[in-house]
Amino acid sequence: MSQRIYNFSAGPAVLPVPVLDEARENLHSLGETGIGIMEHSHRSKAFLAVYNETVERCRELAGIPDDYHILFLQGGASSQFFMAPMNFLTPDQTADFLVTGAWSKKAIAEAKRFGKTHIVCSSDDSNFNQIPTERNYSENPRYVHFTSNNTIFGTQFKTEPEIPAGATLVCDASSDIFSRPIDVTKYGMIYAGAQKNLGPSGVTLVIIHDDLVQSGSKDIPTMLQYRTHAEKESAFNTPPTFGIYIMGLVLKWIQNSGGVVELEKVNQQKAGKLYDYLDESQLFQGTAESDSRSLMNVTFVTGDAELDARFIETATARGLDGLKGHRSVGGMRASLYNAFPPEGVDALIELMREFEEGHR
Ligand SMILES: *Cc1c(COP(=O)(O)O)cnc(C)c1O
C-alpha cells in the first residue's frame, strides 16, 4: 500500500486512519454477515444496527436531547440552503442572516425565493476577513441563520450569536461540527455536509428540534419535508448507507479520542502553533483578523501570488497536499479538521520556516 501524505484539503478531507482500517475490513463482509457494508439493504437488521449506533453515538457525543431528531439527508449542505426556508419561511415572514462568507451568501440567496430576508451583519466589504460584532436583527425573525465556520475565508464564530428572545437559531456547521463542544439546546437546527469533519461526501447530518419539524410546511414535495425523514428515521427512501456507516466510525473515533472536549484542546494546539508562527513570520501573513480566526481553516498569503504558487509547489513535492487557497482569497489554506494529525502542522511550519529562510 502506498504511503499516506499530509492532506490539507478543505473537503472532502482527511479521515482518521482507524476509520479507514475498520471500513476496509467491512467492505467485503460487515462483521460475520457475509455481505459488505455497501451491499446491505437499508432495512436489514445489520444495517439498522449500524444506523442505531450512529444515532446513539451522535447523541452521546454532543449531548443531544430526545426532542431533537438526527437525520441523514442527501444533496449536500447546499440543499439545506433551500430546504430550511422552503419548510419554515412563508412570503410574509422574515429570516435573519449573519453574512460571513460565500456559504452564508448562498444560503440567503435561496431563502429569498421563499420569503423576506434581513441581513443582521455582513463582512462582505472586508472580503469576509472577520466576524462582525455589530448586529441588527429584524423585528420578529422566523429564524436566524449563521455559518459557524467560514471554510473559505478562515474565520469562525467563537460561540453562537445572541439572538432575539423567541427566535430560532439555524446553523450551517459543515466545517466545524464536533470540533468543540456546543450546547445543542440553543439551536433549532444544525446541519453539516459530512465531507469536512464527519465522513465521506454524500450524506448531510441534520440535528433538528421536533417543534421545528412539526411547524414545517406540508405543501411542499414529500422528500423535501423534514417531517418525512423524522417520521421514517431517515429511511423514507434509501438513505446514504455507506456515509452513515463511516460517520458512525468517525463518531466512535472521536469518543475514543476523549470526545469533543479533548478534540477542542488538540484543535486549539494545532491551529495555535500555526497562527503563532504566522504572527512572527516576516514572509507569511494570516488573512483573517486575529479575533475571528478559525481553528479549522487557516488562510495565509505571502502578498506575492507568484511566491504563493512556488510555496504550494514546494509543499506538494514534500508530501503536503491541498494547500492552495480558494480563488476568492488566493494564497494558501491549511485545513486542520479533527482528523488532521498534529505532526502535519509541525511539518508545514518547518517547511514555511525553511521557505522563509530561502526568500529573505
Ligand atoms: C463545504 C461547505 C458547504 C457546501 O457543502 P456541500 O455538501 O458541498 O453542499 C456549505 N457550507 C459550508 C460552511 C461548507 O464548508
Side-chain angles (χ1 to χ4, degrees):
M1 212 171 58
S2 61
Q3 217 203 316
R4 283 170 68 79
I5 62 172
Y6 292 124
N7 176 13
F8 291 89
S9 168
V14 61
L15 285 166
V17 171
V19 167
L20 300 178
D21 287 344
E22 188 169 341
R24 183 174 52 189
E25 289 291 306
N26 290 287
L27 280 184
H28 282 262
S29 170
L30 177 63
E32 303 293 307
T33 62
I35 299 173
I37 172 61
M38 284 189 275
E39 304 162 298
H40 270 283
S41 160
H42 57 297
R43 314 239 177 246
S44 69
K45 215 170 131 193
F47 179 75
L48 286 178
V50 166
Y51 164 85
N52 284 325
E53 196 179 311
T54 305
V55 169
E56 222 26 69
R57 286 189 189 283
C58 195
R59 282 201 193 281
E60 277 173 25
L61 194 77
I64 303 172
D66 286 343
D67 49 0
Y68 284 81
H69 299 275
I70 293 169
L71 310 179
F72 306 103
L73 305 185
Q74 301 186 59
S78 299
S79 291
Q80 296 307 306
F81 297 165
F82 68 79
M83 194 162 156
M86 200 175 204
N87 276 267
F88 307 129
L89 202 58
T90 53
D92 57 319
Q93 292 173 320
T94 304
D96 281 13
F97 286 79
L98 288 86
V99 181
T100 54
W103 297 116
S104 20
K105 265 168 81 170
K106 286 188 171 166
I108 195 170
E110 296 302 324
K112 280 182 202 297
R113 300 177 189 278
F114 303 98
K116 296 185 197 136
T117 58
H118 169 81
I119 295 178
V120 175
C121 62
S122 172
S123 44
D124 203 353
D125 58 2
S126 61
N127 201 30
F128 298 117
N129 70 345
Q130 41 108 5
I131 303 291
T133 48
E134 269 241 357
R135 293 163 194 178
N136 292 297
Y137 291 93
S138 71
E139 198 99 326
N140 184 22
R142 171 72 172 101
Y143 63 86
V144 176
H145 180 282
F146 81 112
T147 313
S148 51
N149 182 71
N150 298 282
T151 325
I152 293 174
F153 298 94
T155 65
Q156 185 176 25
F157 282 80
K158 294 267 172 293
T159 183
E160 49 283 303
E162 293 285 336
I163 59 168
T168 298
L169 192 58
V170 173
C171 178
D172 174 2
S174 292
S175 53
D176 69 350
I177 192 160
F178 302 154
S179 66
R180 58 183 178 184
I182 47 165
D183 180 357
V184 172
T185 62
K186 289 186 175 167
Y187 298 79
M189 167 177 162
I190 303 170
Y191 63 93
Q195 68 271 23
K196 277 109 187 194
N197 244 338
L198 290 176
S201 60
V203 54
T204 305
L205 177 67
V206 176
I207 302 164
I208 183 168
H209 195 279
D210 187 56
D211 290 348
L212 196 56
V213 168
Q214 301 310 333
S215 74
S217 170
K218 290 180 173 167
D219 229 11
I220 54 178
T222 312
M223 273 292 286
L224 297 179
Q225 297 179 34
Y226 291 105
R227 178 183 295 106
T228 304
H229 304 287
E231 279 170 6
K232 300 289 183 192
E233 304 199 300
S234 301
F236 170 75
N237 72 323
T238 316
T241 54
F242 184 67
I244 294 168
Y245 167 71
I246 297 289
M247 199 188 292
L249 296 185
V250 170
L251 298 176
K252 178 163 80 177
W253 173 81
I254 296 175
Q255 288 179 312
N256 291 341
S257 310
V260 283
V261 171
E262 207 46 50
L263 276 188
E264 180 181 39
K265 287 185 204 154
V266 176
N267 288 328
Q268 277 167 346
Q269 281 163 5
K270 286 190 299 184
K273 267 187 190 178
L274 185 48
Y275 285 124
D276 284 348
Y277 170 67
L278 286 170
D279 285 340
E280 73 176 53
S281 171
Q282 304 289 310
L283 180 67
F284 297 101
Q285 301 108 44
T287 63
E289 294 282 334
S290 39
D291 60 356
S292 301
R293 286 168 163 177
S294 166
L295 298 186
M296 297 283 99
N297 309 95
V298 179
T299 51
F300 56 99
V301 295
T302 63
D304 173 347
E306 214 171 283
L307 206 53
D308 288 348
R310 210 171 320 145
F311 176 74
I312 292 161
E313 202 178 301
T314 309
T316 310
R318 284 267 201 109
L320 278 67
D321 197 73
L323 281 164
K324 192 170 168 17
H326 190 273
R327 61 193 173 280
S328 52
V329 182
M332 281 68 70
R333 167 174 53 177
S335 297
L336 310 177
Y337 299 124
N338 284 344
F340 189 87
E343 311 83 69
V345 180
D346 296 336
L348 174 61
I349 295 171
E350 191 184 313
L351 179 68
M352 288 168 78
R353 280 190 201 284
E354 222 180 273
F355 193 82
E356 183 169 349
E357 279 299 314
H359 291 85
R360 275 209 194 280

